[in-house]
Amino acid sequence: MSTDDAGASDAGASEETEHENALQDVIAVDSDDNPQGTVNRLEAHTGHGIRHRAFTCLVFDGEGRLLLGQRAPGKRLWGTHWDGTVASHPVEGQSQEEATAVRLEEELGVTPDQYDDLRVTDRFEYKRYFENAGLEWEVCAVLKVTLDDTTLDPDEDEIAGLLWVDYEHLHEHPEWYRQLRLCPWFEIAMRRDFE
């Protein structure tokens, strides 16, 4: 290791103790989504990354429109990018559905009495780097839910903006939505959804 590497490592250690993600764990998984123990969330998203379990949830209204959620600017990775609709990581002992229900309530104020069809529809592995800030290397479950009641109470620390869009139109005309800067996991989930 060179002297420069040691300095970079010290800076990374300092960042780990300061960032809230360093206080959380995620579930490391193999390529088939089999658990391999827990790892520090910040470590999983820096350096070469550690493959871990994640989810993204696509929230629809009764007309089939998709709710895009803009990630808050304070997010370490993909801040201000648009997601469909929330994304996060389950913790040990938590199912994808349970974790998603928690995030729907925390990020959007959506409670289980507003839907009854939360379900896993897909799963895929991907790895993407974001600038020099880190990466996502995830086995990502895709969940879908249709809201009977579209009342929302977004947490501004998590969600910077909301936009209902025609899902098919977004897929067929991505160039018309380019200014939104979509999150890579959402783009993959959407492409696979229409294959």
Side-chain angles (χ1 to χ4, degrees), residues 45-66:
H45 291 90
T46 54
H48 295 294
I50 299 168
R51 184 193 298 117
H52 57 279
R53 184 173 289 165
F55 66 84
T56 188
C57 181
L58 309 183
V59 175
F60 295 88
D61 68 7
E63 298 173 27
R65 295 182 305 165
L66 173 69

Side-chain angles (χ1 to χ4, degrees), residues 74-133:
K75 297 275 190 182
R76 275 192 70 252
L77 304 176
W78 284 276
T80 72
H81 283 62
W82 290 81
D83 196 359
T85 303
V86 298
S88 192
H89 311 88
V91 297
E92 194 170 29
Q94 192 178 47
S95 73
Q96 295 286 24
E97 292 87 351
E98 291 166 341
T100 301
V102 169
R103 293 311 289 166
L104 286 171
E105 190 159 356
E106 290 175 347
E107 293 191 21
L108 294 171
V110 170
T111 57
D113 62 335
Q114 292 177 255
Y115 58 86
D116 62 4
D117 65 339
L118 181 63
R119 64 214 181 272
V120 175
T121 61
D122 194 11
R123 183 174 278 110
F124 59 87
E125 180 180 345
Y126 76 101
K127 187 175 188 178
R128 295 289 186 281
Y129 288 84
F130 179 71
E131 299 173 350
N132 293 324

